[in-house]
Amino acid sequence: MALCCALLLLCSQALALALALGRGMLYPRESASRELKELNGIWSFRADFSPQRDKGFVQQWYRKPLRQSGPVIDMPVPASFNELTQDPSLRQYTGWVWYEKEVLLPRSWLLNALNTRVVLRVGSAHYYSIVWVNGVNVTEHEGGHLPFEADISRIVQGSPGALCRITIALNNTLTPQTLPPGSIQFMRDESKYPRGYFVQNTRFDFFNYAGIHRPVVLYTTPSVYIDDITVTTAWAGNIGVVRYEVLVMGNTRYSLSLNLREKEGKVVATGKGLIGELKVVEPKLWWPYLMNENPGYLYYLEVKLSAQVGGELSEDVYTLPVGIRTVHVTSRQFLINGKPFYFHGVNKHEDADIRGKGLDWALIVKDFNLLQWLGANSFRTSHYPYAEEIMDLCDAYGIVVIDECPGVGMKDPENFGNKSLAHHLVVMEELIRRDKNRPSVVMWSVANEPASELLPAAYYFKTVIAHTKAIDPTRPVTFVSNANYAHDHGAPYVDVICINSYFSWYHDAGHLEVIQLQLNTQFENWYEAYQRPIIQSEYGADTIAGLHNDPPLMFSEEYQKAVLKEYHSVFDKKRKEYVIGELIWNFADFMTDQATSRVLGNKKGIFTRQRQPKAAAFVLRDRYWKLANESSCLHPTLTYYNL
Ligand code: GCB
């Protein structure tokens, strides 16, 4: 009976997820029916320094090779453009930049035009993109951090030769209605500023890197193709259930078959048709890192589509990794597979010297090794969605994710208007479309530290959260607050309270002795007001690596350790009640705008920007492994020292 109810619920949930989103955004993967060409490497690049930043459009730079309309420089993709040259005006640049890549397509992609779709996909570009192929406009996309794509078959298959010239005009300007928001301020006092001088203002604390940050690929599918797959999972007793819904495009006559394979390739369940459920006997559940000997267990859902195209059989195959797990929230607990889960983790940034926010495999692998060394079981994608490649590893390693959208720096009343709201809803749709099938994602965060004490925030967050829940009824929703508990107009709508506080740092600076009292009061106030579980979603202290002072003084390694220890003693009391997690700010030092309070960036990392540990990293490591050992079946010392 319990399983029956769970299944009924699952059916409606998978349907909601699939229906609300309409189209898919599957990660491009090669298969028997799909080929893929990565366009990473050197692209041609030009920033438009004309006063209105409009020269590229006036002169239609997209119509012919970029080098023919003026000088170009080499620009790597993926990477931020800001810190690759010695030119300070490019580092601070705001406006349109132009990227171009010329590629030769395999003849097989062009010959069988009837049954080959060629798709151009951009993993993410900051922030507004306009894309042309061979001079023809193929798509536009607003917002960084999330992928977009365009079917370019007609253009490339119709044009002579196999040359495909991709031009992307990219604008990093942030306005009160973008996510994140920002504003352009024109400085009109000509005794102080040159004519036309303007600055980009933002209210968030990380450098506004821009460029093509994630891989750009071309891939093919047959003309009748699998456009989307939605899965939701449940289990009861010894039966696991994977409920699926497939979206097919290109034709209405086809047949679908599905195989669910375990890691070694053995088929454990089969299905047919667009909608259905697969039952797995004795399922291997997806468990978080350190909660089980075998974390991040993934099955592989192989979807095979067969159709007749031009009198011939056409097949499309797509394989989706699937983790079977459940998530529930009670008034005091966060349950994964029915067991209480305590978030002991970090907040991160996509950030590194030279490449900025550009995807870098070496950095990604280093960071996951550090997370495992630390004993971290989770992170929040502060303050925007991270690369799909990173999320894949979270799924595979069992690192639990609070998936945050770029709702950061929303401090002005104009950030809560209808236009912002409409865009915010679209961004949540795009984020869920991308990450809905990921077992690592256990909660959506719709914003970080918005001015939720403002009255319009009530309707705004009620709407964003309701929309998010309507699309994805399977995951809890939160936003991260630093507002006063009594005046937070968004908090009533969240499932989990996430609070940031910097006691003895941004106020009572240097007074470590007030931390425990203030933190205790914070927790009690929030819990009394909402009776919902609480995550300390940020806490920390800026620390210059190598700076020492004992007794601890601000900015020294000793002070960072001391702050952590004061916080931890309160966490240890409250986690027995309703505190369900602690996420340090921050995993590593990162770049910010220049300011009197920032010395080459934010230094609250427990690792430096080059990923070397500060003393606090060892404090946290001891703590996280102890916490892990309290709640798991692992052999403690063995696992700890093996890393
Ligand atoms: C915060 C923000 C984060 C900042 C951090 C700080 O509350 O959420 O983006 O970087 O504080 O260090 O000030």
Side-chain angles (χ1 to χ4, degrees):
M1 180 64 184
L3 181 62
C4 237
C5 295
L7 291 186
L8 273 179
L9 193 66
L10 257 190
C11 293
S12 60
Q13 290 173 339
L15 207 62
L17 257 166
L19 284 179
L21 295 172
R23 290 297 303 258
M25 187 53 71
L26 291 174
Y27 188 70
R29 290 178 208 283
E30 282 170 315
S31 75
S33 59
R34 294 173 175 228
E35 289 179 47
L36 190 140
K37 196 174 166 64
E38 288 203 359
L39 306 185
N40 301 338
I42 297 292
W43 288 48
S44 297
F45 176 91
R46 185 186 306 139
D48 182 349
F49 279 102
S50 64
Q52 304 299 323
R53 306 293 199 241
D54 61 349
K55 196 168 167 188
F57 293 97
V58 173
Q59 297 186 346
Q60 302 184 327
W61 288 350
Y62 50 87
R63 296 198 67 164
K64 49 188 185 186
L66 203 54
R67 61 184 176 278
Q68 292 178 10
S69 53
V72 291
I73 60 170
D74 284 348
M75 186 56 68
V77 169
S80 300
F81 61 71
N82 309 76
E83 294 182 347
L84 295 171
T85 73
Q86 296 307 98
D87 181 358
S89 58
L90 186 59
R91 185 176 189 276
Q92 295 297 127
Y93 181 84
T94 305
W96 289 100
V97 298
W98 292 70
Y99 282 80
E100 181 197 77
K101 181 88 172 169
E102 290 177 311
V103 275
L104 286 170
L105 300 185
R107 193 179 307 168
S108 59
W109 290 20
L110 309 175
L111 286 184
N112 186 7
L114 180 65
N115 197 22
T116 309
R117 279 174 74 240
V118 182
V119 182
L120 170 65
R121 188 186 200 264
V122 179
S124 95
H126 281 26
Y127 282 95
Y128 195 95
S129 311
I130 307 180
V131 186
W132 295 263
V133 171
N134 294 345
V136 180
N137 177 232
V138 293
T139 192
E140 298 192 12
H141 182 257
E142 180 174 357
H145 319 286
L146 290 166
F148 57 94
E149 59 180 34
D151 182 337
I152 62 165
S153 323
R154 287 218 182 139
I155 295 161
V156 291
Q157 286 161 347
S159 67
L163 192 72
C164 168
R165 182 167 47 81
I166 298 161
T167 315
I168 304 183
L170 199 59
N171 195 328
N172 61 347
T173 308
L174 297 177
T175 72
Q177 286 81 36
T178 55
L179 269 197
S183 59
I184 298 291
Q185 187 180 6
F186 284 92
M187 307 302 207
R188 304 209 189 271
D189 181 345
E190 290 189 13
S191 70
K192 290 189 182 160
Y193 306 97
R195 179 166 296 178
Y197 191 83
F198 66 89
V199 289
Q200 167 80 74
N201 292 323
T202 58
R203 305 281 298 274
F204 52 78
D205 182 36
F206 53 91
F207 188 73
N208 190 26
Y209 283 111
I212 301 180
H213 284 156
R214 297 182 191 152
V216 181
V217 301
L218 286 169
Y219 70 91
T220 62
T221 73
S223 57
V224 184
Y225 63 98
I226 299 158
D227 183 59
D228 199 15
I229 305 167
T230 306
V231 296
T232 49
T233 64
W235 60 274
N238 68 341
I239 302 289
V241 181
V242 176
R243 167 84 199 164
Y244 66 86
E245 165 116 30
V246 182
L247 182 65
V248 172
M249 303 296 282
N251 203 334
T252 47
R253 298 183 56 198
Y254 49 80
S255 67
L256 267 182
S257 64
L258 299 92
N259 284 326
L260 187 69
R261 295 180 189 275
E262 45 104 277
K263 225 175 202 146
E264 304 310 326
K266 200 178 117 201
V267 174
V268 292
T270 59
K272 281 199 182 320
L274 283 176
I275 303 180
E277 64 192 31
L278 307 172
K279 291 208 177 84
V280 185
V281 183
E282 304 287 356
K284 293 196 182 88
L285 299 183
W286 186 94
W287 286 103
Y289 176 54
L290 299 178
M291 214 169 161
N292 186 275
E293 294 285 355
N294 192 5
Y297 189 89
L298 295 173
Y299 291 88
Y300 293 88
L301 181 62
E302 182 186 82
V303 182
K304 199 179 275 181
L305 163 74
S306 307
Q308 289 290 323
V309 176
E312 284 182 25
L313 177 69
S314 163
E315 276 193 349
D316 188 19
V317 183
Y318 189 92
T319 302
L320 180 78
V322 173
I324 301 179
R325 60 110 182 89
T326 57
V327 170
H328 294 107
V329 177
T330 71
S331 64
R332 284 169 165 248
Q333 286 181 319
F334 197 97
L335 304 172
I336 297 186
N337 297 332
K339 284 198 180 165
F341 177 74
Y342 187 77
F343 295 78
H344 44 88
V346 305
N347 292 274
K348 289 185 94 261
H349 263 300
E350 289 182 318
D351 172 272
D353 43 16
I354 305 175
R355 71 246 332 114
K357 290 197 178 302
L359 180 128
D360 176 349
W361 277 112
L363 185 76
I364 291 173
V365 169
K366 177 73 177 173
D367 280 5
F368 275 97
N369 285 334
L370 289 177
L371 287 171
Q372 291 178 324
W373 174 88
L374 199 62
N377 62 5
S378 51
F379 65 76
R380 172 167 66 119
T381 68
S382 44
H383 296 307
Y384 37 79
Y386 291 177
E388 289 155 282
E389 291 77 3
I390 296 176
M391 305 298 283
D392 279 349
L393 293 187
C394 291
D395 288 339
Y397 297 161
I399 300 291
V400 168
V401 178
I402 300 172
D403 206 352
E404 189 158 279
C405 90
V408 59
M410 304 174 64
K411 299 290 189 190
D412 297 325
E414 21 169 13
N415 306 145
F416 296 92
N418 285 343
K419 199 167 167 206
S420 299
L421 179 57
H423 180 53
H424 207 139
L425 300 185
V426 171
V427 171
M428 288 314 300
E429 286 168 16
E430 288 186 15
L431 174 60
I432 296 171
R433 178 180 299 142
R434 193 194 75 160
D435 287 348
K436 62 185 171 180
N437 294 322
R438 297 188 175 281
S440 59
V441 174
V442 299
M443 180 154 65
W444 305 111
S445 164
V446 301
N448 177 72
E449 295 189 356
S452 45
E453 68 286 354
L454 298 175
L455 272 181
Y459 175 74
Y460 191 96
F461 284 108
K462 183 178 179 195
T463 310
V464 174
I465 292 172
H467 190 65
T468 305
K469 282 173 171 286
I471 304 170
D472 181 3
T474 71
R475 290 179 178 88
V477 183
T478 189
F479 74 90
V480 170
S481 177
N482 66 341
N484 181 299
Y485 76 98
H487 304 119
D488 191 320
H489 296 299
Y493 308 106
V494 302
D495 297 305
V496 171
I497 303 279
C498 287
I499 299 298
N500 296 347
S501 57
Y502 288 91
F503 303 128
S504 89
W505 194 260
Y506 289 121
H507 51 84
D508 301 297
H511 291 283
L512 292 163
E513 62 281 5
V514 304
I515 293 180
Q516 292 198 24
L517 177 62
Q518 295 189 359
L519 185 57
N520 199 61
T521 309
Q522 167 200 290
F523 285 141
E524 290 191 351
N525 284 341
W526 277 98
Y527 194 74
E528 198 184 325
Y530 289 105
Q531 265 102 62
R532 269 166 234 168
I534 303 177
I535 296 177
Q536 182 73 36
S537 38
E538 285 182 28
Y539 69 107
D542 281 87
T543 305
I544 312 290
L547 200 66
H548 293 286
N549 212 90
D550 195 27
L553 295 186
M554 290 174 80
F555 295 98
S556 69
E557 296 208 24
E558 287 73 17
Y559 195 86
Q560 189 180 34
K561 281 204 299 186
V563 168
L564 266 54
K565 285 191 167 155
E566 294 298 317
Y567 268 80
H568 295 166
S569 69
V570 181
F571 295 160
D572 281 338
K573 291 189 197 103
K574 294 296 177 189
R575 71 192 167 86
K576 299 194 181 98
E577 300 174 35
Y578 46 75
V579 169
I580 57 159
E582 51 188 86
L583 304 176
I584 188 78
W585 190 265
N586 188 285
F587 174 73
D589 294 346
F590 58 91
M591 188 50 74
T592 63
D593 262 348
Q594 299 181 68
T596 46
S597 58
R598 295 285 177 258
V599 189
L600 285 184
N602 186 309
K603 297 284 193 247
K604 293 194 186 71
I606 53 161
F607 296 101
T608 64
R609 206 179 186 208
Q610 288 69 37
R611 276 43 183 181
Q612 295 306 320
K614 301 179 191 172
F618 296 93
V619 171
L620 219 54
R621 183 179 193 229
D622 278 341
R623 176 171 177 78
Y624 283 1
W625 280 95
K626 274 190 202 114
L627 288 170
N629 289 323
E630 268 179 32
S631 63
S632 80
C633 56
L634 297 183
H635 189 294
T637 39
L638 246 187
T639 325
Y640 182 96
Y641 289 111
N642 274 352
L643 273 172

